[in-house]
Amino acid sequence: MANERVTEIVERLALPIAEHAGVELVEVEYKKEGANWFLRVFIDKPGGVDIDDCSRVSEQLSDALDVADPIATSYFLEVSSPGAERPLKKLADFERALGERIHIRLYEPFDGHKAFEGVLLRCDGTSLEMEYAEKSVQRHVCLPLDKIAAARLSVWT
């Protein structure tokens, strides 16, 4: 799909810019909302990013995008923090989230559930183990990473 190609190109452009700025490139998203296209670049660092981090990355990435010109249509560039419910995509993301509350959505049901929310206990690169509550009973589940459609940190509710 063309949108996947755009995000891959933008990731390659944004990664050295983010590293030079001392931040982590978390995710690149390119999607249409209403009549407009949005290119969203999410960055983070320990302690969180501030407006100066976002501005610095945005300006440098905008210049790089002008030169590479990978997007044929007009779009809005947004550089921001991934927020409190940061996505978990890479092994390093899961390792950093050990002991944290996470939300997992699966491609297909596992033990009768298509989603789990609980505390991440372990991740070895092929599977993860988490503890979750089901009707006030604490349970453990081990899920293969290749069965996970989406994962993110979860704010306690």
Side-chain angles (χ1 to χ4, degrees), residues 11-30:
E11 282 178 11
R12 281 196 305 271
L13 292 170
L15 189 58
I17 293 168
E19 288 174 350
H20 184 262
V23 299
E24 175 191 0
L25 177 63
V26 174
E27 184 175 23
V28 174
E29 176 183 276
Y30 179 63

Side-chain angles (χ1 to χ4, degrees), residues 10-134:
V10 173
E11 282 178 11
R12 281 196 305 271
L13 292 170
L15 189 58
I17 293 168
E19 288 174 350
H20 184 262
V23 299
E24 175 191 0
L25 177 63
V26 174
E27 184 175 23
V28 174
E29 176 183 276
Y30 179 63
K31 66 185 196 179
K32 189 170 188 178
E33 294 179 4
N36 299 311
W37 281 93
F38 290 86
L39 176 60
R40 293 189 176 105
V41 177
F42 299 98
I43 60 173
D44 205 1
K45 69 179 182 186
V49 294
D50 59 26
I51 191 114
D52 292 332
D53 295 318
C54 294
S55 178
R56 187 170 32 260
V57 171
S58 179
E59 289 171 12
Q60 293 176 16
L61 181 57
S62 181
D63 291 344
L65 288 166
D66 287 345
V67 172
D69 200 20
I71 304 172
T73 61
S74 62
Y75 59 92
F76 294 96
L77 173 62
E78 297 177 355
V79 177
S80 67
S81 162
E85 294 194 337
R86 170 192 172 128
L88 306 173
K89 297 188 174 234
K90 301 171 272 195
L91 179 57
D93 297 336
F94 286 99
E95 289 171 344
R96 188 173 30 251
L98 289 173
E100 301 287 333
R101 187 169 179 86
I102 64 170
H103 179 86
I104 301 289
R105 207 169 25 86
L106 304 173
Y107 290 113
E108 55 192 37
F110 185 89
D111 285 345
H113 301 284
K114 199 164 177 184
F116 291 88
E117 187 159 326
V119 176
L120 179 61
L121 302 174
R122 179 189 62 79
C123 184
D124 64 11
T126 59
S127 65
L128 64 78
E129 181 182 355
M130 64 187 294
E131 180 180 64
Y132 68 100
E134 182 176 39

